[in-house]
Amino acid sequence: MPIVFDIASRTFFLNSGGATYALAIHPSGLLQHLHWGAPLRAQGLALIRPDDRRPYTAVSADGTHCPESIALEYPVYGHGDFRFPAVTVRQDDGHQLLEPVYAGHRIVAGKPRLEGLPATYTESDAEADTLLITVRDAVSGIEIELAYTAFRDHPAITRSARIVNRGAAAVSLERAHSAVFDLAGSDYELLHLSGAWASERSLYRTRLRPGSQGVESRRGASGHHHNPFIALLSPGCDEDHGEAMGFSLVYSGNFAAEVEVTAFGSARVGLGINPHEFAWLLEPGASFQAPEAVLVWSGEGLGGMSRAYHRLYRTRLVRGRWRDAERPILINNWEATYFDFTADRLDGIAARAAAIGVELFVLDDGWFGRRNDDRSSLGDWVVDRAKLPAGLDDLARRITARGMRFGLWFEPEMISPDSDLYRQHPDWCLHVPGRVRTQARQQLVLDFSRPEVVAHIGDAVAAVLRSAPIAYVKWDMNRTLTEIGSAALPAGRQRETAHRHIIGVYALMERLTSEFPDILFEGCAGGGGRFDPGMLHYQPQYWTSDNSDGYSRLKIQYGTSIVYPLSTMGAHVSAVPNHQVHRTTPLRFRGDVAASGNFGYELDLAACPDADLEEMRRQIAFVKRTRALIASGDLYRLASPFAGNLTAWMVVAPDRRRAVVFAFRGAVEPNPPLPRLRLRGLDPALDYRLDGGPTVSGGDALMAAGLDLWFAQGDFTSKVFELVATGPVPE
Ligand code: DGJ
């Protein structure tokens, strides 16, 4: 049983994959946080901290504790605890005081679903236990059900909260975090993944300091700027050593990840929907479900934390038939043609792609309405006969006749002011009457808080998907949300719009992925602007960044790998000079960088010289040989692009009999040192053959002494090694 309740000490022990999370019912009825970290052997330890009374602070009304210093789970504000709260409920008397105390609990096998929201899941009840604790405020009748799932085989705890109004009056929910708790100490570094368009998810590490700190989004989407993730790292924590605690939110809208270090040296951590401009009217009997937070603990450094997230997200967040299937090598026409294509031009690219072994042709933006640039037609999901006179079906059949599958781009959540849809339904976009409608990329955002808008777009997209043999969809989303108001909601519910909108997005994704289970969906938001766990629940892969420059991609893919598995990252080889940063890098280097993700090309193959096509054939053969291993293996980051000129990582098969090592050097250095790369994750008792050649090395030597790294001359060079264990596979 991953979850145990020790009746004597009224303590819950959540044992998940080698880590323990412990909380207790305090004599006051509050839930007290006790421990999260290394596994605890005994139960009912003397874990409950003595009352930590401080001078000049309040004492709880029942005299049991000091509200300002007690370590809590899911706290409230207003009775002497001045740290940020987990939940705020404005009641009909205008106040927001709550005294939620323990009212009961249940432990159930498996993991209940979160209605309408993406979440991790179990495939059998034996995989996890879920603790459901109810706390109740007697005065208002507000009840909060806290859910904690402990996975048997993953060092992960998932948390969420459901707020139920069992009182007689309507209330306004103004904050409903998914998880909040207090750590006894604050000697940690805060790690977050931040950036901008074309430079998503760079690593930032700062020492925690007294006061509030964290990251958030107010953009209506998780966004390019901050990922819904933070980690707290023990001092000196590196890839292999130290404690790493990850906090990841399965949500794609406005989020907040907060840490507050108190004067007493403790740290409160919280994660959830951003309370900024959020409120939810709860009529008597109504409930609100907060999204899921996924907490991972590792005693084996940042690398251990990442591998735990990778295994969990790869196998129990991503769903559907593509979860475990090999992903096709694709060619996307965007950087080859932009909006300027004909069926013949596309077919010309496809012909060359098929000849070198590409498996999927993706037609990007510009195939519908009258879309010859980005100023029109979003919302009019009807093929443009001026561009494709014989229709989509004809083009898709020409492509499939070449032995490739056919994929198509959509941007379902958007509407162009110059579109038939907008002319018919000018109030279907997010807007506030009488106010300007701010455009970004000449487009507005559809109001997906309205079920009829979601249904209309769903019908239109489904009709296209049924009209031709379409095997893949690229689901784009190219702007953030402004004037977040809905024509369908009354004044008192306008602050629900942003969350209702993202629930509508999820509902459409759920509908289309269920209706078309064989289609592979790839997410995109101006590149990696919404690369988050919520999206991965519907779309097993995501376009990592619009920046396809191989050298920039080292940082972007390395940063993304802190939480997300390689199997979720779209990575394409594009032309040089690169279209985003104008850098020229060798084709081999670009291919080696892209081979660590879902591999593809995004350039005009019809314009490529034969020598390049030959190199691409080699790349494709390599990807076909290694993609299953790269998608399912364990990632070990060996050298960080944020630290120097050398970047390296490797992927090891679950049985440790195969591995692939990637190393990249940026600028050439005169008379450089010959670095040795110490490998990780191999079996020290096995011998490994390098690149199918005569060299055989022990796993112990490869990890302790390392591998000589000898780069060719020139800037932007790469080395790839394939390791295969010698000797028979044990029975
Ligand atoms: C932004 C995406 O990130 C690109 O890959 C491309 O699909 C364009 N949108 C098309 O408008």
Side-chain angles (χ1 to χ4, degrees), residues 197 332 334-335 339 364-366 371 374 409 411 441 474 476-478 524-528 543 545-546 602:
W197 176 81
N332 178 305
W334 178 241
E335 289 194 21
F339 294 98
D364 210 279
D365 196 354
R371 191 156 162 96
D374 60 13
W409 180 97
E411 195 175 0
R441 211 189 186 214
K474 178 176 175 184
D476 208 345
M477 188 279 196
N478 283 310
C524 175
W543 182 222
S545 175
D546 271 353
E602 189 145 344

Side-chain angles (χ1 to χ4, degrees), residues 93-229:
D93 61 0
H95 294 288
Q96 51 73 41
L97 294 177
L98 288 179
E99 291 151 64
V101 290
Y102 173 82
H105 77 268
R106 285 181 296 142
I107 297 174
V108 297
K111 183 171 190 289
R113 294 184 52 177
L114 294 195
E115 221 31 66
L117 285 169
T120 56
Y121 58 91
T122 49
E123 287 193 336
S124 87
D125 282 354
E127 291 181 10
D129 280 348
T130 298
L131 166 65
L132 299 161
I133 308 181
T134 302
V135 294
R136 184 174 299 139
D137 175 52
V139 176
S140 66
I142 294 297
E143 224 173 69
I144 305 168
E145 192 171 79
L146 299 170
Y148 298 77
T149 296
F151 285 89
R152 195 188 52 201
D153 297 330
H154 300 273
I157 301 287
T158 65
R159 290 191 50 181
S160 64
R162 199 166 72 90
I163 293 89
V164 190
N165 182 3
R166 299 216 187 276
V171 299
S172 176
L173 184 63
E174 296 180 345
R175 173 188 270 261
H177 267 8
S178 303
V180 179
F181 69 97
D182 295 307
L183 292 163
S186 56
D187 192 9
Y188 296 106
E189 285 179 73
L190 171 68
L191 171 81
H192 56 99
L193 306 175
S194 299
W197 176 81
S199 63
E200 296 91 338
R201 291 171 296 285
S202 287
L203 297 190
Y204 290 87
R205 249 178 108 149
T206 50
R207 187 102 197 232
L208 284 186
R209 52 169 176 74
S212 302
Q213 49 237 280
V215 289
E216 64 179 322
S217 170
R218 294 187 288 267
R219 316 175 73 82
S222 48
H224 295 92
H225 295 203
H226 301 290
N227 201 254
F229 165 81

